[in-house]
Amino acid sequence: MEEQEDKRHSEDHLGPAREYWWNEDYLELLARRLNLEYCQSLVDIGCGKGMMGFKFSKYLPAGARVYGVDFEAEYIEEAQQRAQSIYLHNPIDYKFLVGNASDIPLPDNLADITLCQTLLIHVKDPQRVIEEMIRITKPGGWVVALEPNNLVPNLMFDRYGETDFDVESTLEVLEVKLRIEKGKKRLGEGFNSLGDVIPDLFVKAGLRDTKVWISDKALSIIPPYDSAETMLRVEQMISWIESEAMGYQYQDNLNYFMAGGGDKDKFDAYWQKLLYNKFNLKQRLQNGEYISAGGSLIYIVAGRKPRQSELE
């Protein structure tokens, strides 16, 4: 189930708009905080098409090696092809492997820094994945998770008129969202708002000096849609609506809702409102009228693997 969920997640997310998930100057700041200029090896678990490895590689010293591991062979192949073209401009040694995050196909104590992005929210046993990330990290090296709280946007507003909200109707929607989240976890398909509790998982795993930061990137859509980033984001949202992806799949959401303690009649009433809102959203996007600040909550949590002397 974990592998199937990871595939659905990747298919929904790994479009061109993903390249704009981070502000470049913020990545530069993270690179300084994590001392990437001194790292000889970086591993990205659940790497997809290699985006984070490529982005961080520009801050690594010449001759450093970047590893990427992902369950999807097609994404690993794309990452390898991209690495061949990037190498001419960035002399970093890239190596991409097909593998499972719960059993990483890399040796112990390999990496100066091991990271993952929006991976732990989709796995049944995030503690197991974190332990594997620790295993392949050198003593004294960093384990880093970039993970969101995806419930937060449900209490965000796009337009000023929405601030005159009906409390009861809002609570009904929140109940549905919470039960879907709860049911998804009960079915062993991860917890979409895991970002808040990564420090707890890191401490339980024995990591030291845990540090927590928050991304400064807002995924805004503001008319006119005249930048490549905004146009890609609009295109992606329309694609999600038309393909019933990213929260628009009826049967999956019904299954999660009922597993979370809900009943079908209540879900169907919610779904009818969702279909109406989806139609209106698509029209506003196509007419260039949709506006959103694009707020999100993405944590960057870093913990250091203790050295042997610290364990004695």
Side-chain angles (χ1 to χ4, degrees):
M1 182 61 72
E2 174 183 320
E3 294 165 356
Q4 293 173 352
E5 175 58 32
D6 283 348
K7 182 176 181 180
R8 287 202 303 271
H9 170 68
S10 296
E11 289 170 346
D12 291 340
H13 272 92
L14 295 189
R18 186 182 178 96
E19 296 290 334
Y20 294 98
W21 273 17
W22 298 91
N23 286 321
E24 292 297 330
D25 55 352
Y26 187 80
L27 291 178
E28 182 179 358
L29 175 61
L30 283 180
R32 292 202 303 271
R33 288 171 171 173
L34 296 169
N35 299 314
L36 291 193
E37 61 183 309
Y38 302 111
C39 291
Q40 292 296 326
S41 53
L42 178 150
V43 178
D44 182 9
I45 305 300
C47 67
K49 299 176 183 178
M51 183 191 78
M52 291 309 293
F54 292 129
K55 284 188 175 296
F56 277 130
S57 66
K58 68 178 69 174
Y59 305 108
L60 297 172
R65 171 166 281 190
V66 171
Y67 297 84
V69 178
D70 196 277
F71 183 75
E72 292 299 317
E74 61 198 85
Y75 295 142
I76 291 298
E77 183 177 352
E78 285 192 47
Q80 289 171 334
Q81 292 173 353
R82 186 176 176 186
Q84 291 175 358
S85 61
I86 287 179
Y87 183 80
L88 298 175
H89 309 285
N90 188 5
I92 299 294
D93 186 12
Y94 297 99
K95 184 177 180 64
F96 293 97
L97 306 166
V98 176
N100 195 306
S102 298
D103 188 17
I104 300 171
L106 290 171
D108 297 357
N109 305 324
L110 171 73
D112 292 303
I113 179 169
T114 302
L115 63 88
C116 66
Q117 175 181 246
T118 58
L119 168 70
L120 300 179
I121 59 172
H122 290 289
V123 301
K124 181 178 181 179
D125 187 356
Q127 196 77 68
R128 166 65 180 172
V129 175
I130 291 169
E131 289 169 359
E132 272 291 276
M133 292 173 69
I134 293 172
R135 177 185 65 78
I136 66 169
T137 304
K138 297 175 184 177
W142 289 107
V143 174
V144 182
L146 304 90
E147 302 284 345
N149 178 326
N150 282 321
L151 278 171
V152 167
N154 292 300
L155 283 173
M156 293 179 176
F157 305 106
D158 291 329
R159 294 169 296 174
Y160 182 70
E162 294 175 2
T163 60
D164 293 322
F165 59 90
D166 178 73
V167 172
E168 286 71 25
S169 299
T170 302
L171 289 174
E172 288 176 2
V173 173
L174 286 176
E175 179 190 352
V176 173
K177 298 292 187 178
L178 288 168
R179 290 196 184 281
I180 288 174
E181 188 99 336
K182 186 177 184 68
K184 187 169 183 282
K185 187 173 188 295
R186 279 183 172 176
L187 293 175
E189 296 186 28
F191 186 70
N192 277 354
S193 297
L194 197 74
D196 297 330
V197 300
I198 297 297
D200 178 50
L201 296 176
F202 273 21
V203 170
K204 284 182 169 62
L207 291 168
R208 306 285 181 89
D209 303 329
T210 300
K211 303 180 185 303
V212 183
W213 303 293
I214 295 174
S215 172
D216 70 344
K217 180 72 174 186
L219 306 179
S220 59
I221 298 178
I222 301 173
Y225 308 155
D226 55 0
S227 71
E229 178 178 353
T230 302
M231 287 187 285
L232 281 171
R233 197 164 292 137
V234 168
E235 180 183 319
Q236 183 180 61
M237 287 187 68
I238 293 174
S239 173
W240 288 343
I241 292 170
E242 293 177 341
S243 63
E244 299 187 347
M246 294 303 295
Y248 292 117
Q249 318 96 321
Y250 173 81
Q251 194 60 51
D252 283 350
N253 282 286
L254 174 60
N255 293 342
Y256 296 148
F257 181 72
M258 295 184 70
D263 64 80
K264 188 174 184 299
D265 288 343
K266 179 174 283 189
F267 181 81
D268 284 343
Y270 157 80
W271 198 256
Q272 288 305 310
K273 294 178 183 177
L274 178 76
L275 292 178
Y276 175 77
N277 292 333
K278 181 175 78 167
F279 174 79
N280 286 337
L281 172 59
K282 182 179 177 181
Q283 280 198 320
R284 295 203 308 272
L285 286 166
Q286 291 176 329
N287 295 336
E289 299 168 351
Y290 177 73
I291 182 169
S292 172
S296 61
L297 181 56
I298 299 180
Y299 293 92
I300 301 93
V301 185
R304 187 177 56 79
K305 180 175 178 177
R307 298 177 177 86
Q308 186 60 39
S309 60
E310 296 175 288
L311 299 174
E312 296 172 349

